[in-house]
Amino acid sequence: MATVALTYFGLLATLLQVVIALWPRTASHNTTIMATLIIVSTLGGVLHSFPKASVTQDFNPPAFSIKIVQGDILDQQGNIVIGFTDTYDTDLTDGAVINPKSIQGQFQNKYYANNSDALDDDLTHALSTISPVSHENSSAKPRGKLARYEIGTVAALRSENRIFYAAAYGRIENNLKVSCSIDALWKSLTAVWESARIHGSLEPVFIPIIGSELARVGSLGREAIIKMIALSFVSSSREAIVSRELNIVILPKDREHVNIIELRRFLKTL
């Protein structure tokens, strides 16, 4: 900030000298002018160094970019990653199985009008070639679905001109608590990128800070999860291009928990 402020000061001081040369009478107001120069220069430095709400980093080869943006993940125009549990539960009743306030819950409300049957039909179709790895007993898990899919399973749901990557990243226990390990998240991210390679036609992918809410990923905070998402995407992209653009979307309420300057530095190291 200090360097930028000094640059502003030097430019303004040069301009002042030109003004005095043309209009000598202004020299009588040196004190006021000098104070104004200092204030304007300082403000310029502060504004210049203030972190922007978004970050973009380009990579090559292959040619792709990662953007960290602020907004609502469900308002984005493109293919979107939605986190699901390993049972692909969709029951929003009383919020016991799936919380209506979660991104999945909001997704069901916005794109399926809370019609769980319609979503279940789409999930069944998308998962038709994938076999569950186990089945729970209804006495042990009285609420929700019983078939469990492998962590990292991705159901590609097509809706008009976009794809929703329904990624099973968290395990829902029989008591309906959801958990996700760091290994499980990495595995799920890798599977999402592979699904995007197959179905996404290199179109932009949007992903929230997956695992930062109800399914806490170990002890990772939001910033660490963003770094993990970016690292995973870059690693997969260098094996084979996934998409020309990854957008990591931060909810406005999470902005205070994220250091944009640090994330910009991190992206430059990848």
Side-chain angles (χ1 to χ4, degrees):
M1 184 189 81
T3 301
V4 176
L6 287 173
T7 301
Y8 275 109
F9 185 85
L11 291 173
L12 291 172
T14 301
L15 179 60
L16 175 61
Q17 290 175 0
V18 173
V19 171
I20 291 175
L22 294 175
W23 295 283
R25 291 184 180 181
T26 58
S28 61
H29 301 288
N30 270 347
T31 303
T32 302
I33 293 174
M34 186 59 66
T36 302
L37 281 177
I38 294 172
I39 293 172
V40 171
S41 301
T42 303
L43 286 175
V46 170
L47 291 174
H48 183 85
S49 63
F50 193 79
K52 298 177 180 179
S54 63
V55 175
T56 299
Q57 180 65 44
D58 295 323
F59 297 85
N60 190 37
F64 65 91
S65 64
I66 294 179
K67 297 181 179 181
I68 300 175
V69 300
Q70 182 176 297
D72 186 332
I73 184 68
L74 298 178
D75 287 340
Q76 308 306 312
Q77 299 301 310
N79 299 334
I80 299 176
V81 179
I82 305 292
F84 277 72
T85 67
D86 61 335
T87 56
Y88 281 96
D89 272 305
T90 58
D91 183 7
L92 297 174
T93 306
D94 69 24
V97 182
I98 301 299
N99 190 329
K101 295 181 180 180
S102 66
I103 291 178
Q104 181 192 333
Q106 294 176 59
F107 160 71
Q108 292 185 210
N109 176 52
K110 183 168 185 173
Y111 291 99
Y112 283 88
N114 287 333
N115 186 341
S116 296
D117 290 338
L119 175 55
D120 286 339
D121 288 343
D122 285 352
L123 286 169
T124 297
H125 177 73
L127 296 168
S128 60
T129 61
I130 304 173
S131 299
V133 292
S134 65
H135 289 80
E136 291 292 343
N137 189 293
S138 58
S139 61
K141 188 175 184 286
R143 298 284 301 271
K145 299 177 183 179
L146 302 177
R148 290 190 182 277
Y149 289 84
E150 184 178 1
I151 292 293
T153 298
V154 180
L157 307 176
R158 294 186 178 274
S159 175
E160 299 178 351
N161 297 322
R162 70 171 66 195
I163 300 171
F164 293 101
Y165 300 108
Y169 76 100
R171 175 184 172 86
I172 185 169
E173 304 294 344
N174 292 342
N175 63 3
L176 305 181
K177 299 297 182 182
V178 181
S179 62
C180 177
S181 67
I182 294 174
D183 287 343
L185 179 57
W186 184 269
K187 181 178 181 179
S188 299
L189 290 170
T190 302
V192 166
W193 312 144
E194 179 60 25
S195 185
R197 254 190 221 108
I198 295 170
H199 303 287
S201 302
L202 300 184
E203 291 297 315
V205 175
F206 294 82
I207 185 170
I209 311 179
I210 194 168
S212 63
E213 293 293 339
L214 300 178
R216 291 287 183 182
V217 182
S219 58
L220 296 184
R222 290 167 176 78
E223 190 173 310
I225 294 175
I226 291 173
K227 291 180 178 180
M228 189 173 178
I229 292 171
L231 177 61
S232 172
F233 185 79
V234 170
S235 177
S236 289
S237 296
R238 285 177 175 156
E239 292 180 6
I241 188 70
V242 174
S243 164
R244 292 299 181 193
E245 181 180 300
L246 173 68
N247 296 268
I248 304 173
V249 183
I250 304 172
L251 289 172
K253 71 180 182 65
D254 291 336
R255 175 62 181 83
E256 63 183 274
H257 303 293
V258 174
N259 185 334
I260 291 293
I261 294 176
E262 169 57 27
L263 290 175
R264 183 184 293 116
R265 290 196 194 102
F266 176 77
L267 290 180
K268 289 181 181 296
T269 67
L270 296 181

